[in-house]
Amino acid sequence: TTVGHKSIFCNMYTSFLESWNGFSKNFYPGFNMPVPLFVLLLLIIYFIFFLPYVLIFFSPYYAIIILFIFIERIFQSIIANDDPFFNAVFHPVQILMMIFVGLNSIYVTVMRKSKWKGRTL
């Protein structure tokens, strides 16, 4: 089975900037939690899903964690009918981008600087 493959189609964003702004306006508000708790969530994601890629240069034991992350990404990609190689290899970049978007989402939401389709929200 697949997860919605070919069932629904939409063009969400046409550029990196549109994606950045679109996800930034929704990411933090979607969790509906206080800022400190959301920052804690981002830190947990950082420590579990990104830091092992840095720490492997200091200890080979982090390869075990990275292997589990690779396996998870491959299974997730297969279920979603996505490219397992791309998702496994670019996982660290995807996690960093998610964290940066999350931090930007706090900024644009709290500072009321969120923009969508040329309008300030």
Side-chain angles (χ1 to χ4, degrees):
T1 65
T2 60
V3 180
H5 181 67
K6 297 183 181 178
S7 299
I8 299 172
F9 176 80
C10 72
N11 287 324
M12 287 184 59
Y13 306 112
T14 59
S15 70
F16 176 80
L17 186 59
E18 280 184 16
S19 299
W20 178 267
N21 289 333
F23 286 115
S24 290
K25 80 176 176 60
N26 293 323
F27 192 20
Y28 168 63
F31 279 85
N32 193 28
M33 61 177 56
V35 171
L37 195 57
F38 186 73
V39 170
L40 179 62
L41 174 67
L42 293 177
L43 283 172
I44 290 169
I45 290 169
Y46 170 79
F47 283 120
I48 294 173
F49 295 107
F50 180 77
L51 196 58
Y53 288 89
V54 175
L55 295 177
I56 195 165
F57 294 107
F58 301 100
S59 172
Y61 294 113
Y62 288 99
I64 296 167
I65 297 171
I66 293 171
L67 178 65
F68 282 123
I69 292 171
F70 264 60
I71 291 169
E72 181 271 333
R73 292 302 293 240
I74 289 168
F75 279 124
Q76 183 183 39
S77 298
I78 291 169
I79 290 169
N81 224 4
D82 210 350
D83 182 353
F85 178 77
F86 179 86
N87 283 326
V89 171
F90 287 100
H91 169 83
V93 175
Q94 293 168 347
I95 293 298
L96 272 183
M97 287 306 301
M98 182 176 67
I99 291 168
F100 291 145
V101 168
L103 293 172
N104 189 58
S105 183
I106 294 169
Y107 172 74
V108 298
T109 304
V110 172
M111 301 302 290
R112 307 270 187 237
K113 295 184 183 252
S114 193
K115 291 186 183 269
W116 182 244
K117 296 188 177 185
R119 300 182 305 265
T120 301
L121 301 177

